[in-house]
Every structure is written in structure tokens, then in C-alpha cells.
Amino acid sequence: MNLDHVFLCGDPALDLAATLRARRSERFEMFVSPERLDAWFLESGVVDAVTPSGAADVDHAKLLREAIYELVVTRLTGDAYDRRALAVVNSAARRPAAVPQLTPAGRWTDATPQEALSTVARHAVALLSGPDAPLLKECGNPECTRVYLDRSRGVRRQWCGMESCGNRLKAAAYRARRRRSAAPAER
């Protein structure tokens, strides 16, 4: 079982929302332990160091993740935001966030899990209320539920990532075309 975190979405809030994969079919949970949450914080670049998380932090991260996902999907459909999802994101954003510090070696951000989650919630607020919101797109792979920022030329990106979804769908389409062309012509 592959537990590597993937950051294809273009924003930490979207990457957090993508930690529950394949929401329409076989759900795949990335936050199976506090250590996996800590790894996500570090790998995402939200913080450089984090106080070890506990089970309650994982629960808070999942709650925030689901609220962000709900708000992002609602933004895509043009519907009104769910009040509960708004309350979860806004409550997390109001808490103290991770604060970068200048050190002799450069920028360093040390945080608690709550501060890291507040930082991600603030990213969600900035994204959903800012100029990048029209760039939100859901992956074209029907099995994938990642939402990403499409900053491609002409805003024509179709997949969350070529390696994860694009190549797989292109290969499947190619095989289907080959099967059709190889089938004996009916007369």
C-alpha cells in the first residue's frame, strides 16, 4: 500500500482536500495515523517542523479537509456554501497560525498541528475568496476527485496530474481506439 503524499493541486488547502482519494468509489484515506498527518504537514511545506500530532489532531484535520472539499465543490457548482463547512473553515482560520521565523540559515516555520491546520484553513479562505477561484477544476478522471488550480496555458488542463491520471486515461483511450480499429468491419 503506497502512502506517499502527492501535491498536484497547486494550493495547500486543495492538497489537504485530496488526502481522501477516490471519494466516488473505493475511498483511500491518507491520514491513517498521527505520523501520516505530521508527514503531510512537512511534505506539503506548510511547516518545516511540527510538534507530534495526536489522534484528536487527525480528527481535526479530517474535519477541516471535508469542510474545505465541500466548499471547493460548492464553488465549482455555483451553489450556496454550506454553513457548517463555512463554520469549520472559519473557526480553524481564526486560531493562531504557523508563523515563519528568520534564522541564520533562512526561513523556518515550527508549529503545532493546530497552527499548521490554521495556516491551511487560511489558504482555503484566500483561495475561495481570491482571484484564483475561477481556476478551480476537478480532475477529468471519473475515479479521481482531486480539485486543482488550472494555471495551464489557455486553462486547458484536464487532469490533476499526467502521471497519476492523465497517462492512465490516455493509455485507456488509445487501447480502446486500437480495439475498435482491429475489430472486423461489419457489413
Side-chain angles (χ1 to χ4, degrees):
M1 177 165 57
N2 184 357
L3 289 177
D4 293 331
H5 295 292
V6 178
F7 303 93
L8 303 168
C9 302
D11 185 275
L14 297 175
D15 288 323
L16 180 72
T19 61
L20 179 61
R21 297 189 185 159
R23 292 167 182 270
R24 292 186 199 104
S25 57
E26 296 179 32
R27 292 173 171 241
F28 183 79
E29 176 62 64
M30 296 301 290
F31 294 154
V32 294
S33 69
E35 294 78 22
R36 292 306 302 157
L37 175 61
D38 293 342
W40 186 89
F41 286 139
L42 299 173
E43 293 169 25
S44 70
V46 169
V47 297
D48 299 302
V50 65
T51 307
S53 296
D57 298 313
V58 173
D59 292 340
H60 289 128
K62 289 177 181 179
L63 182 67
L64 178 61
R65 173 190 67 200
E66 294 309 304
I68 290 171
Y69 182 75
E70 170 139 354
L71 295 174
V72 167
V73 169
T74 300
R75 176 67 165 92
L76 288 171
T77 61
D79 295 332
Y81 287 139
D82 177 74
R83 289 181 188 266
R84 187 197 63 70
L86 282 172
V88 168
V89 170
N90 288 333
S91 176
R94 276 193 290 276
R95 292 190 175 98
V99 179
Q101 300 292 303
L102 184 60
T103 70
R107 182 181 186 268
W108 184 260
T109 305
D110 192 353
T112 65
Q114 297 83 11
E115 291 168 337
L117 288 174
S118 177
T119 300
V120 174
R122 290 173 186 212
H123 276 277
V125 170
L127 173 63
L128 292 168
S129 65
D132 286 342
L135 302 177
L136 290 168
K137 267 192 184 174
E138 187 176 49
C139 182
N141 178 352
E143 296 298 315
C144 183
T145 55
R146 286 186 186 122
V147 177
Y148 59 91
L149 287 173
D150 184 358
R151 298 183 193 280
S152 67
R153 187 179 196 180
V155 192
R156 294 182 183 194
R157 186 171 151 192
Q158 297 176 13
W159 304 286
C160 60
M162 281 304 291
E163 288 182 21
S164 56
C165 290
N167 287 339
R168 196 173 308 139
L169 289 175
K170 283 184 164 188
Y174 173 77
R175 286 190 300 274
R177 284 192 307 274
R178 295 277 301 190
R179 279 193 300 273
R180 282 194 302 270
S181 67
E186 294 183 29
R187 296 180 189 211

